mmCIF file of all heavy atoms in Angstrom:
data_model
loop_
_atom_site.group_PDB
_atom_site.id
_atom_site.type_symbol
_atom_site.label_atom_id
_atom_site.label_comp_id
_atom_site.label_asym_id
_atom_site.label_seq_id
_atom_site.Cartn_x
_atom_site.Cartn_y
_atom_site.Cartn_z
ATOM 1 N N SER B 90 -12.410 -154.858 28.404
ATOM 2 C CA SER B 90 -11.570 -154.065 29.326
ATOM 3 C C SER B 90 -11.004 -152.772 28.648
ATOM 4 O O SER B 90 -10.109 -152.140 29.223
ATOM 5 C CB SER B 90 -10.367 -154.902 29.798
ATOM 6 O OG SER B 90 -9.674 -155.411 28.761
ATOM 7 N N GLY B 91 -11.639 -152.519 27.449
ATOM 8 C CA GLY B 91 -11.153 -151.245 26.797
ATOM 9 C C GLY B 91 -10.171 -151.723 25.678
ATOM 10 O O GLY B 91 -9.116 -152.143 25.909
ATOM 11 N N GLY B 92 -10.687 -151.347 24.407
ATOM 12 C CA GLY B 92 -9.843 -151.819 23.242
ATOM 13 C C GLY B 92 -9.496 -150.694 22.406
ATOM 14 O O GLY B 92 -9.991 -150.541 21.366
ATOM 15 N N GLY B 93 -8.634 -149.815 22.867
ATOM 16 C CA GLY B 93 -8.201 -148.741 22.065
ATOM 17 C C GLY B 93 -7.474 -149.294 20.861
ATOM 18 O O GLY B 93 -6.929 -150.397 20.971
ATOM 19 N N SER B 94 -7.195 -148.553 19.850
ATOM 20 C CA SER B 94 -6.634 -149.089 18.574
ATOM 21 C C SER B 94 -5.181 -149.492 18.920
ATOM 22 O O SER B 94 -4.688 -150.452 18.368
ATOM 23 C CB SER B 94 -6.474 -147.929 17.497
ATOM 24 O OG SER B 94 -7.758 -147.533 17.135
ATOM 25 N N TYR B 95 -4.525 -148.730 19.825
ATOM 26 C CA TYR B 95 -3.042 -149.138 20.182
ATOM 27 C C TYR B 95 -3.094 -150.516 20.738
ATOM 28 O O TYR B 95 -2.255 -151.382 20.334
ATOM 29 C CB TYR B 95 -2.631 -148.108 21.133
ATOM 30 C CG TYR B 95 -1.260 -148.420 21.871
ATOM 31 C CD1 TYR B 95 -0.088 -148.762 21.024
ATOM 32 C CD2 TYR B 95 -1.152 -148.465 23.191
ATOM 33 C CE1 TYR B 95 1.024 -149.040 21.616
ATOM 34 C CE2 TYR B 95 0.065 -148.733 23.835
ATOM 35 C CZ TYR B 95 1.097 -149.111 23.084
ATOM 36 O OH TYR B 95 2.394 -149.428 23.588
ATOM 37 N N ILE B 96 -3.934 -150.784 21.702
ATOM 38 C CA ILE B 96 -3.886 -152.122 22.354
ATOM 39 C C ILE B 96 -4.300 -153.155 21.415
ATOM 40 O O ILE B 96 -3.641 -154.139 21.262
ATOM 41 C CB ILE B 96 -4.793 -152.125 23.687
ATOM 42 C CG1 ILE B 96 -4.134 -151.157 24.667
ATOM 43 C CG2 ILE B 96 -5.067 -153.497 24.151
ATOM 44 C CD1 ILE B 96 -4.995 -151.026 25.889
ATOM 45 N N VAL B 97 -5.442 -152.946 20.651
ATOM 46 C CA VAL B 97 -5.825 -154.089 19.727
ATOM 47 C C VAL B 97 -4.854 -154.355 18.665
ATOM 48 O O VAL B 97 -4.461 -155.401 18.332
ATOM 49 C CB VAL B 97 -7.141 -153.539 19.126
ATOM 50 C CG1 VAL B 97 -7.575 -154.579 18.005
ATOM 51 C CG2 VAL B 97 -8.313 -153.504 20.162
ATOM 52 N N ALA B 98 -4.195 -153.264 18.109
ATOM 53 C CA ALA B 98 -3.217 -153.485 17.056
ATOM 54 C C ALA B 98 -2.002 -154.138 17.684
ATOM 55 O O ALA B 98 -1.411 -155.139 17.039
ATOM 56 C CB ALA B 98 -2.813 -152.204 16.388
ATOM 57 N N ARG B 99 -1.590 -153.712 18.864
ATOM 58 C CA ARG B 99 -0.255 -154.329 19.337
ATOM 59 C C ARG B 99 -0.476 -155.686 19.805
ATOM 60 O O ARG B 99 0.369 -156.558 19.442
ATOM 61 C CB ARG B 99 0.249 -153.481 20.625
ATOM 62 C CG ARG B 99 1.679 -153.697 20.837
ATOM 63 C CD ARG B 99 2.115 -153.036 22.131
ATOM 64 N NE ARG B 99 1.218 -153.498 23.216
ATOM 65 C CZ ARG B 99 1.489 -153.090 24.478
ATOM 66 N NH1 ARG B 99 2.497 -152.358 24.795
ATOM 67 N NH2 ARG B 99 0.698 -153.552 25.439
ATOM 68 N N GLU B 100 -1.589 -156.064 20.457
ATOM 69 C CA GLU B 100 -1.823 -157.371 20.891
ATOM 70 C C GLU B 100 -1.935 -158.359 19.791
ATOM 71 O O GLU B 100 -1.538 -159.503 19.854
ATOM 72 C CB GLU B 100 -2.981 -157.547 21.842
ATOM 73 C CG GLU B 100 -2.752 -156.970 23.138
ATOM 74 C CD GLU B 100 -3.875 -157.340 24.140
ATOM 75 O OE1 GLU B 100 -4.752 -158.088 23.773
ATOM 76 O OE2 GLU B 100 -3.800 -156.878 25.366
ATOM 77 N N ASN B 101 -2.602 -157.878 18.686
ATOM 78 C CA ASN B 101 -2.956 -158.917 17.659
ATOM 79 C C ASN B 101 -2.003 -158.865 16.431
ATOM 80 O O ASN B 101 -1.784 -159.883 15.678
ATOM 81 C CB ASN B 101 -4.379 -158.656 17.145
ATOM 82 C CG ASN B 101 -5.335 -158.882 18.255
ATOM 83 O OD1 ASN B 101 -5.461 -160.104 18.691
ATOM 84 N ND2 ASN B 101 -6.043 -157.868 18.704
ATOM 85 N N LEU B 102 -1.469 -157.675 16.213
ATOM 86 C CA LEU B 102 -0.665 -157.490 14.907
ATOM 87 C C LEU B 102 0.857 -157.369 15.272
ATOM 88 O O LEU B 102 1.691 -157.556 14.366
ATOM 89 C CB LEU B 102 -1.108 -156.350 14.120
ATOM 90 C CG LEU B 102 -2.577 -156.384 13.714
ATOM 91 C CD1 LEU B 102 -2.881 -155.083 13.027
ATOM 92 C CD2 LEU B 102 -2.901 -157.505 12.893
ATOM 93 N N GLY B 103 1.176 -157.060 16.624
ATOM 94 C CA GLY B 103 2.656 -156.882 16.822
ATOM 95 C C GLY B 103 2.958 -155.495 17.259
ATOM 96 O O GLY B 103 2.069 -154.569 17.203
#
Side-chain angles (χ1 to χ4, degrees):
Chain B
S90 59
S94 302
Y95 169 54
I96 289 174
V97 173
R99 204 188 50 174
E100 283 194 6
N101 296 299
L102 303 176

